[in-house]
Amino acid sequence: MAIPNMQIPSRQLFIDGEWREPVKKNRLPVINPATEEIIGYIPAATAEDVDIAVKAARRALGRNGWGSTTGAQRAKFLRAIAAKVLEKRPELATLETIDNGKPWFEAASDIDDVVACFEYYADLAEALDSKNKTEVKLHLDSFKTHVYKEPLGVVGLITPWNYPLLMTTWKVAPALAAGCAAVLKPSELASITSLELGEICREVGLPPGALNILTGLGHEAGSPLVSHPDVDKIAFTGSGPTGIKIMTAAAQLVKPVTLELGGKSPIVVFDDIPNIDIAVEWTLFGCFWTNGQICSATSRLIIQDTIASQFLDRLLEWTKNIKISDPLEEDCKLGPVISRGQYEKVLKLISTAKNEGATILYGGERPQHLKKGYYIQPTIITDVDTSMEIWKEEVFGPVLCVKTFKTEEEAIELANDTKYGLGAAILSKDLDRCERFTKAFQSGIVWINCSQPCFWQPPWGGKKRSGFGRELGEWSLENYLNIKQVTQYVSDEPWAFYKSPSKL
Ligand SMILES: NC(=O)c1ccc[n+]([C@@H]2O[C@H](COP(=O)([O-])OP(=O)(O)OC[C@H]3O[C@@H](n4cnc5c(N)ncnc54)[C@H](O)[C@@H]3O)[C@@H](O)[C@H]2O)c1
Ligand SMILES: NCCCC=O
Ligand code: NA
């Protein structure tokens, strides 16, 4: 398929179903990480815009628009959004690529997941109609109790830059399916496709205020959204430090949050793997996909010592074969990281690893053939000690660190030697061993004989410093529902707790 060339559309904030200029009229530059050039501007929302958007969301819940829809009616809008996204797939993929830097074919695949997600939550929205009032059997006949599942209210959705439209969809689709009204604040480093979702919602006639999109800086737009007294919940995906700020601010209002944070996930490889090339490819994919900017990246390779030398030799051959290029080029498999800040952060982590005594087995620098753009070679670091920063800290770039082990106990200890708990992978022919590791891994996600495949039906999330709450599947719908107990006294007899005055 020919990759379309695109200029990024000039958009405003999307509030109450229309495009509106920010109150302070500020805008932020959009930078293409492959060229370091400014390719456009996005509106910069501030607290004043947040208040306007939250009021629009609240109105949407109250009037005969969004607030009184059935699940079946909401499903129609979600399916219409899915159809429009599919129609615009090539253009959205190109916009994603020039804004985020991921290879075009990866961006296109993300768009496919966006379509599937909206369709999936349309089905769940429809099913909700028969589940939003269910009886709970009691031990007494004098009462009848029902449980109502109703929209939680106005929800604030704050998303990162690594899968811009997909992370937006992971929140917007279930929130709308549940009947909430949403205010979305995408990352200022990659907001373009989220704004295009606003245009798609406008084109399909989503009732005004159901979805509002505010682009802008975290402290100028995200923070006021978290602290706004008329926002009922915050769903956040991003870094640990920001998650702590958000949780602290939300706590002042006893506001519920879900936090999908960072990770430093392990991939444990045993010497009984039936095919070394298959294992090597999963190891590469687990760390270098999405230009290495994956929350669940298995960025710590823990390899059995009996196979380590042979495995690393093969890993090197595969790594040298990765095509690093402008992400709009066919067959690009590694593009630039998102920004100059991320580029410098990743290189600093690599240089610290070297200074602490680790060996840069491969990579660690800008590719020679790419003089512009935030490109970093896929990097493999060995002779790593568990005290080193490279072992402990999330890089969020194409950097794999390696340690060997002799016994299962040692492998499990190394795997769990992290403050995070998002994903974990094990490659072994012995499925009983894989079951033992599945139980031993301190994580929310386990991959067996693979790494990273991510589907919209099962739950996604972690534990420890990777946050809490689960997205995707039916779990995500629950994030946006209020569970209400309704108990009715159905007896004609007096309650008779107090003596009736007539009997005194
Ligand atoms: N667990 C997951 O599913 C998942 C997915 C993607 C990324 N991440 C994590 O996100 C990090 C990288 O993403 P990032 O750089 O965009 O994270 P980030 O924390 O810098 O920003 C995430 C979002 O939060 C906003 N924000 C920043 N400060 C804020 C504040 N004080 N109040 C409210 N909002 C604020 C930003 O504008 C952005 O929209 C990595 O640590 C990665 O592991 C996790
Ligand atoms: N494959 C989706 C991973 C989300 C975190 O980065
Ligand atoms: Na960008």
Side-chain angles (χ1 to χ4, degrees), residues 422-468:
L422 189 51
I426 172 166
L427 309 188
S428 169
K429 189 169 64 175
D430 179 344
L431 295 183
D432 290 336
R433 169 192 280 151
C434 293
E435 183 64 16
R436 287 195 297 277
F437 272 71
T438 294
K439 293 192 174 101
F441 283 142
Q442 295 169 0
S443 66
I445 302 155
V446 175
W447 287 287
I448 296 176
N449 291 323
C450 60
S451 176
Q452 298 312 313
C454 176
F455 309 106
W456 50 87
Q457 302 94 336
W460 179 275
K463 58 190 294 188
K464 297 164 73 176
R465 293 295 187 93
S466 291
F468 48 79

Side-chain angles (χ1 to χ4, degrees), residues 29-33 37 39 95-101 161 188-192 338-339 374:
V30 176
I31 293 170
N32 179 342
E37 288 165 359
I39 53 174
L95 291 175
E96 201 77 298
T97 295
I98 62 178
D99 194 14
N100 166 278
W161 44 259
E188 57 277 25
L189 293 177
S191 299
I192 300 303
I338 187 78
S339 65
Y374 310 125

Side-chain angles (χ1 to χ4, degrees), residues 369-382:
H369 66 294
L370 293 162
K371 304 302 179 199
K372 279 292 248 181
Y374 310 125
Y375 294 92
I376 297 173
Q377 293 169 313
T379 299
I380 299 169
I381 302 180
T382 56

Side-chain angles (χ1 to χ4, degrees), residues 45 66 184 213 237 273 296 347 423 433 479:
W66 189 246
L184 166 70
I213 303 172
T237 294
I273 44 171
S296 52
L347 290 180
R433 169 192 280 151
N479 288 340

Side-chain angles (χ1 to χ4, degrees), residues 102-103 105-106 163 280-294 296-299 301 315-316 318-320 322-324 332-337 362-364 376-381 395 397-402 451-452:
K102 67 171 66 187
F105 85 100
E106 285 188 28
Y163 299 83
V280 162
E281 189 188 7
W282 278 121
T283 303
L284 290 190
F285 184 71
C287 188
F288 298 152
W289 175 46
T290 314
N291 305 341
Q293 299 161 132
I294 324 161
S296 52
T298 44
S299 53
L301 168 59
L315 188 69
L316 266 180
W318 278 74
T319 304
K320 288 172 182 169
I322 292 174
K323 179 179 177 182
I324 313 169
C332 172
K333 285 290 191 283
L334 193 73
V337 296
Y362 183 78
I376 297 173
Q377 293 169 313
T379 299
I380 299 169
I381 302 180
V395 175
V399 180
L400 177 70
C401 64
V402 184
S451 176
Q452 298 312 313

Side-chain angles (χ1 to χ4, degrees), residues 117 120-121 124 156-160 166-175 233-238 257-261 295 422 444-445 454-462 466 468-480:
C117 229
Y120 176 78
Y121 283 104
L124 293 193
L157 313 176
I158 302 175
T159 56
L166 187 56
M167 291 300 107
T168 281
T169 301
W170 280 17
K171 290 175 172 42
V172 167
K233 164 159 193 165
I234 295 292
F236 171 72
T237 294
V257 298
T258 50
L259 298 181
E260 296 284 353
L261 306 178
C295 55
L422 189 51
I445 302 155
C454 176
F455 309 106
W456 50 87
Q457 302 94 336
W460 179 275
S466 291
F468 48 79
R470 288 297 180 267
E471 296 201 296
L472 298 181
E474 302 202 16
W475 292 268
S476 203
L477 202 59
E478 297 298 320
N479 288 340
Y480 302 105

Side-chain angles (χ1 to χ4, degrees), residues 63-170:
R63 63 175 171 242
N64 288 331
W66 189 246
S68 54
T69 51
T70 63
Q73 289 166 327
R74 295 194 294 272
K76 285 195 176 75
F77 287 112
L78 294 176
R79 291 197 178 98
I81 291 168
K84 272 278 180 204
V85 170
L86 185 58
E87 191 185 299
K88 299 179 177 208
R89 178 181 186 267
E91 292 77 11
L92 288 169
T94 296
L95 291 175
E96 201 77 298
T97 295
I98 62 178
D99 194 14
N100 166 278
K102 67 171 66 187
W104 190 89
F105 85 100
E106 285 188 28
S109 168
D110 287 355
I111 301 303
D112 294 337
D113 279 1
V114 166
V115 172
C117 229
F118 273 107
E119 286 172 345
Y120 176 78
Y121 283 104
D123 294 345
L124 293 193
E126 238 156 23
L128 208 49
D129 287 340
S130 61
K131 294 180 187 171
N132 57 14
K133 180 183 176 184
T134 47
E135 186 175 359
V136 175
K137 287 290 176 213
L138 301 179
H139 60 295
L140 297 173
D141 294 337
S142 45
F143 295 91
K144 274 218 175 308
T145 292
H146 287 87
V147 170
Y148 284 64
K149 289 188 174 183
E150 59 185 26
L152 195 58
V154 173
V155 294
L157 313 176
I158 302 175
T159 56
W161 44 259
N162 58 341
Y163 299 83
L165 187 53
L166 187 56
M167 291 300 107
T168 281
T169 301
W170 280 17

